[in-house]
Amino acid sequence: MRRSFLILIVLISTVLGGYAQSKYSNEFLSLGLGARGLGMSNTMCALTDDVTSAYWNPAGLTRMEKRYQLSLMHAEYFAGIAKYDYAGIGYKIDTNQSVAFSYIRFGVDNIMNTTQLIDDQGNVDYDRITYFSAADNAFLLSYAYAFPQVPGLSVGANAKIIHRKIGQFARSWGFGLDFGLQYNNKGWQAGVMLRDGTSTFNAWNYSLTDDVIAVFEETGNEIPENDMELTVPALLIGGGKTVHFGKGFHGTFAIGLDCTFDGKRNTLIKSDIISVDPHVGMEFDYKRIVFLRAGVGNFQYEPDFDGKQKVTLQINFGVGVNIKDIVAIDYAFTDLGNLSIAQYSHIISLKVGLNKFKK
């Protein structure tokens, strides 16, 4: 009977074993959000100007063009096994203040639970198989303020609640704050965001049956214990420039630097103190109606067949259409040409903006 637990135990021990480490905790909040930003390889810290700013840089919420904005996104990873979804709503209080609420979920659903596959008489009973989900959830409440004394300067903050759950086996609740700043002047744009600025704390609670614990012991896996997980701050820096080519054509060029301080990571620039992940993106449009986007990022060192290190990268591509400044539909295809170790994904997002609701 206990051998039938093996697949499930491997999954739980692998996932929960990573939770004991804080270096990559809450990494689902580092994937990026919205087809525009993902198509431009996450170079949105300085450029973001809509409801998705709650994720990229909350200071950008003050630049929303409509009083109300709603945004939705769906993406699938690993051949559709994992689902990544987002919903956000923003409200512009006045010319200087904006608020937003966002929900983000990354999860794997319909995982088979075979812990009860064999009954007490040793018979295999497939009707005893149940299913569970392993899901990460984030709730963001955002506020942004634009300084009227300094045109183009705005600040913002997120209060975020994290809820992570692995079926009936484990769950956690966490809380943290993000802080952002943006400055825009004559087509030049700059942004800084301190993600998890107060550090984000996740308190884990495990509920394992005696049978599962026994298999953990037999397979040499460490039995998880209730613990606290810490996500240390990360500094995101971005800059961009918008160019008018004439006859309705525009181009926007951006660069971003993601700086982490939790030890050496597999990034292009790395040390024991700081690791820096650079990425660049560009966007071309005609009269703000149709958009063509591209970006390069996710630079990593990967060992070659002869043992030497080579640099891999990820090329992303995106398109978008803006219908009467009310509805925007965007699509992104990540990892164009399969030049990185990441899997390619299709991302679709929708944004609706209104100044008032009709009765």
Side-chain angles (χ1 to χ4, degrees):
M1 177 176 177
R2 290 176 179 173
R3 291 183 180 179
S4 66
F5 296 164
L6 183 58
I7 296 178
L8 180 60
I9 293 300
V10 170
L11 170 66
I12 297 175
S13 61
T14 301
V15 176
L16 297 187
Y19 289 156
Q21 305 175 16
S22 61
K23 183 169 183 176
Y24 296 107
S25 68
N26 295 333
E27 278 296 291
F28 75 105
L29 291 178
S30 301
L31 293 175
L33 189 148
R36 183 194 180 202
L38 290 166
M40 297 177 68
S41 293
N42 297 6
T43 53
M44 299 301 293
C45 184
L47 304 184
T48 185
D49 57 3
D50 58 16
V51 64
T52 63
S53 300
Y55 173 86
W56 295 111
N57 185 342
L61 289 170
T62 61
R63 299 168 59 196
M64 290 194 308
E65 296 181 353
K66 299 293 185 179
R67 191 173 184 85
Y68 306 93
Q69 278 194 353
L70 169 69
S71 182
L72 304 171
M73 183 203 75
H74 175 73
E76 298 190 358
Y77 288 79
F78 312 113
I81 295 176
K83 315 293 184 183
Y84 184 35
D85 296 288
Y86 154 79
I89 185 169
Y91 173 64
K92 196 165 187 176
I93 301 172
D94 52 37
T95 56
N96 299 323
Q97 301 178 88
S98 298
V99 293
F101 175 78
S102 309
Y103 170 65
I104 302 169
R105 181 185 188 271
F106 186 91
V108 178
D109 301 308
N110 298 317
I111 304 172
M112 295 179 64
N113 178 4
T114 60
T115 58
Q116 305 300 319
L117 179 62
I118 300 178
D119 61 24
D120 295 336
Q121 287 72 43
N123 302 314
V124 176
D125 185 354
Y126 292 102
D127 292 334
R128 297 166 65 92
I129 295 177
T130 58
Y131 298 86
F132 68 96
S133 297
D136 299 331
N137 303 272
F139 307 87
L140 279 65
L141 182 62
S142 310
Y143 173 80
Y145 179 79
F147 293 94
Q149 304 88 345
V150 185
L153 179 64
S154 60
V155 295
N158 292 328
K160 57 187 180 184
I161 297 174
I162 311 297
H163 178 51
R164 304 173 69 183
K165 182 178 179 182
I166 306 176
Q168 69 271 34
F169 306 104
R171 65 180 60 199
S172 77
W173 287 95
F175 177 80
L177 297 176
D178 304 324
F179 305 98
L181 180 146
Q182 269 192 353
Y183 181 68
N184 305 277
N185 184 31
K186 298 179 181 180
W188 290 95
Q189 305 171 73
V192 177
M193 180 178 175
L194 185 62
R195 191 174 63 200
D196 302 303
T198 58
S199 295
T200 297
F201 302 87
N202 285 73
W204 277 96
N205 179 268
Y206 305 102
S207 301
L208 303 179
T209 64
D210 293 338
D211 290 333
V212 174
I213 292 176
V215 177
F216 264 85
E217 294 174 341
E218 288 186 3
T219 55
N221 286 289
E222 182 180 352
I223 300 175
E225 298 180 356
N226 296 346
D227 201 357
M228 183 73 70
E229 181 183 51
L230 176 68
T231 305
V232 299
L235 183 65
L236 313 182
I237 304 171
K241 171 65 173 176
T242 298
V243 180
H244 301 274
F245 297 120
K247 296 183 179 181
F249 290 93
H250 307 84
T252 300
F253 307 89
I255 185 171
L257 301 173
D258 297 348
C259 307
T260 54
F261 308 92
D262 50 9
K264 186 178 293 185
R265 293 193 176 205
N266 187 21
T267 58
L268 191 63
I269 304 170
K270 55 186 176 181
S271 70
D272 293 334
I273 300 176
I274 182 174
S275 297
V276 181
D277 184 18
H279 34 103
V280 296
M282 62 187 71
E283 176 183 68
F284 300 95
D285 73 88
Y286 175 67
K287 293 186 177 181
R288 304 297 182 185
I289 299 175
V290 292
F291 299 83
L292 180 65
R293 306 178 179 110
V296 180
N298 195 27
F299 296 93
Q300 296 192 37
Y301 291 94
E302 182 181 358
D304 209 343
F305 66 92
D306 57 358
K308 296 182 179 180
Q309 295 284 329
K310 68 175 182 179
V311 177
T312 64
L313 54 86
Q314 183 172 322
I315 300 176
N316 301 331
F317 169 80
V319 294
V321 59
N322 184 6
I323 304 172
K324 296 183 178 181
D325 287 330
I326 297 177
V327 178
I329 302 173
D330 297 303
Y331 166 80
F333 180 79
T334 66
D335 199 13
L336 184 67
N338 196 29
L339 298 177
S340 77
I341 58 177
Q343 297 290 322
Y344 71 85
S345 297
H346 301 279
I347 295 97
I348 299 174
S349 61
L350 169 71
K351 182 176 66 179
V352 178
L354 296 171
N355 281 326
K356 61 181 180 179
F357 293 101
K358 294 182 178 180
K359 295 183 180 179

